[in-house]
Amino acid sequence: QPSMKPSVTPSSSPSAAPSAEPSILPSGEPSVQPTFVPSVLPSSQPSSAPSFVPSLLPSSKPSLHPSGEPSSWPSSEPTVIPSIAPTDIPSTFPSMLPTFENCDMSKEQRRFEITEALKTVSDPVVLLTPGTPQNKALEWLLEEDKAVLCPDDFSCPRYPAFVQRYVMAVFYFSTDGGTWNECNAASDVCDPLEVAKANANCTVLANGIDVFRIDVIQGTDSWLSPSSECLWGGLACRNDTLCMDRIELEDDGLGGTLPFEVQNLTELRYLIVEEGTTSGTIPSEYGTFRTLHILDLNFNTLTGTIPVEIYDLQLLFQLDLNDNFLTGTIATEIGTIQFLQFIQVEVNRLSGTIPEEMGNNSFLRKYYITFPTINKYAHRWCNSFFGYF
């Protein structure tokens, strides 16, 4: 049976029933049943059920279930399970961390739905492997991105908004974002002051000449900032759809490799990544762009062959791949690019001859091609056609 008055120091184990008055110091473990009068200080561990009257100070850990009335001060962490209905009397001060209720779903459900969707964008194994550009982009999107996009948010009509944002984050991490000359992400993307500082160090605009004069929105915000990815330096989106329209990053010190996930930007018209140390191969998936006008990857360290799929880009005007380490030949399929006007592939390690099928490129106005492995006379002959003809 409990004593009529509290002891000066708590017992090592709780009594079966509570005392009539609270002890001066809390016991090491909670009592089986709550007291009717709160203790002056909270217990070190939460009780299995809430007390009828809140403690004067919050416990260090949340209770498993909410109390019937609010405490005078908030707990340092939210309860594991939110209350079914709000309390009649609000707490005097808010809790430090709210219960997660973005997107009308739990944090875990949001993570599950977005991750499952992105398994169709990236290789699932690579997506879930820590340290990969894809996993870094996923974790940033779910845990750090202050935009907090929801699974059912759509901006560009062709795919959920988080897909475009994820793809651009993958591009950033794949091309050694953080070591670029400009527009690197803030040291702490959650700190508004650091984001503002990073924005001040970005001046790159995606403002190349557009003969179609499509209305776009763009900006000079640092990458991975809370603003729309359309406003990150070197990017631009169509104003009517918010679909990514341009990636223009020239002489910004990009490295790493080109991620194939960029293929998901189905409305992209300009892909310009020049004068860096980007290596690896040109993804064959880049041949799926429906509206790409310019593919400009010159002055990098790209290797491998020119993917034959590139010649499926029926609206391509400019193919600019000079000053890399590309090998192989120019495929005969190049003659199927109906509107090709400019091709530049010199200073590579190409071999073979100029395909006769290039005669079908009726709009071709300018080309630069050298084959260092064929005879000197032919080399001069090719050079004699540099410029307009």
Side-chain angles (χ1 to χ4, degrees):
Q1 297 295 324
S3 58
M4 296 303 294
K5 293 186 178 182
S7 58
V8 177
T9 57
S11 58
S12 58
S13 299
S15 59
S19 58
E21 297 182 18
S23 58
I24 297 175
L25 296 175
S27 59
E29 299 180 6
S31 60
V32 177
Q33 298 179 5
T35 59
F36 294 96
V37 181
S39 59
V40 178
L41 296 175
S43 59
S44 58
Q45 297 183 14
S47 58
S48 57
S51 60
F52 297 101
V53 182
S55 58
L56 298 180
L57 294 176
S59 59
S60 59
K61 297 183 179 180
S63 59
L64 298 179
H65 297 278
S67 60
E69 297 183 17
S71 58
S72 300
W73 293 87
S75 60
S76 58
E77 297 181 356
T79 57
V80 177
I81 303 174
S83 58
I84 297 175
T87 56
D88 295 328
I89 303 174
S91 57
T92 307
F93 295 93
S95 58
M96 297 297 293
L97 296 173
T99 304
F100 198 99
E101 286 294 338
N102 282 319
C103 306
D104 294 324
M105 62 180 64
S106 67
K107 182 176 181 179
E108 292 73 20
Q109 184 64 24
R110 175 176 177 266
R111 169 178 281 273
F112 173 79
E113 292 191 18
I114 288 179
T115 301
E116 287 301 302
L118 292 179
K119 285 180 180 179
T120 66
V121 176
S122 296
D123 182 292
V125 174
V126 176
L127 179 68
L128 300 179
T129 300
T132 63
Q134 291 76 10
N135 187 256
K136 289 180 180 179
L138 174 66
E139 292 303 318
W140 165 79
L141 184 71
L142 295 175
E143 301 295 338
E144 299 181 68
D145 185 14
K146 292 300 183 182
V148 192
L149 299 182
C150 299
D152 57 355
D153 286 342
F154 279 78
S155 52
C156 179
R158 293 189 174 274
Y159 38 73
F162 68 84
V163 171
Q164 178 167 284
R165 198 164 176 85
Y166 164 78
V167 168
M168 297 322 304
V170 171
F171 181 90
Y172 178 77
F173 290 116
S174 293
T175 57
D176 293 344
T179 65
W180 297 355
N181 297 333
E182 289 189 50
C183 304
N184 291 295
S187 58
D188 183 353
V189 295
C190 299
D191 185 340
L193 294 178
E194 290 299 321
V195 171
K197 187 187 301 183
N199 289 348
N201 291 323
C202 181
T203 62
V204 180
L205 278 171
N207 58 354
I209 297 175
D210 179 17
V211 296
F212 295 103
R213 298 182 179 179
I214 299 295
D215 188 21
V216 298
I217 59 172
Q218 58 181 305
T220 57
D221 287 352
S222 58
W223 282 56
L224 308 188
S225 66
S227 62
S228 167
E229 63 277 7
C230 299
L231 300 178
W232 297 350
L235 303 181
C237 296
R238 292 180 64 109
N239 195 38
D240 56 349
T241 64
L242 297 182
C243 295
M244 190 61 60
D245 183 71
R246 301 183 181 192
I247 300 175
E248 294 186 31
L249 293 163
E250 182 176 354
D251 195 23
D252 197 25
L254 275 67
T257 59
L258 297 170
F260 76 87
E261 284 87 353
V262 175
Q263 69 168 324
N264 291 275
L265 307 176
T266 54
E267 302 299 302
L268 194 68
R269 294 189 304 133
Y270 292 78
L271 179 53
I272 301 174
V273 181
E274 294 186 281
E275 299 181 51
T277 59
T278 305
S279 59
T281 60
I282 301 172
S284 61
E285 291 84 357
Y286 287 8
T288 62
F289 293 117
R290 300 182 312 110
T291 59
L292 194 69
H293 297 334
I294 294 179
L295 179 60
D296 189 348
L297 307 175
N298 61 12
F299 292 100
N300 281 292
T301 58
L302 297 170
T303 56
T305 61
I306 301 174
V308 67
E309 291 82 0
I310 294 298
Y311 306 126
D312 292 331
L313 300 173
Q314 291 304 304
L315 295 182
L316 191 68
F317 299 158
Q318 178 176 329
L319 179 60
D320 202 348
L321 305 175
N322 62 282
D323 289 83
N324 281 287
F325 298 96
L326 299 173
T327 56
T329 63
I330 299 175
T332 58
E333 285 82 354
I334 193 172
T336 65
I337 307 179
Q338 183 177 0
F339 298 105
L340 185 64
Q341 299 179 19
F342 178 97
I343 178 173
Q344 187 168 244
V345 293
E346 82 276 15
V347 194
N348 276 290
R349 297 175 179 176
L350 299 174
S351 59
T353 59
I354 298 175
E356 294 181 1
E357 287 76 6
M358 284 186 66
N360 298 327
N361 302 122
S362 57
F363 287 91
L364 189 63
R365 294 292 178 269
K366 193 173 185 180
Y367 73 87
Y368 295 85
I369 301 173
T370 57
F371 299 109
T373 60
I374 61 178
N375 64 65
K376 187 175 181 181
Y377 174 81
H379 189 189
R380 288 200 305 268
W381 181 86
C382 291
N383 284 337
S384 69
F385 282 86
F386 286 3
Y388 291 94
F389 64 97

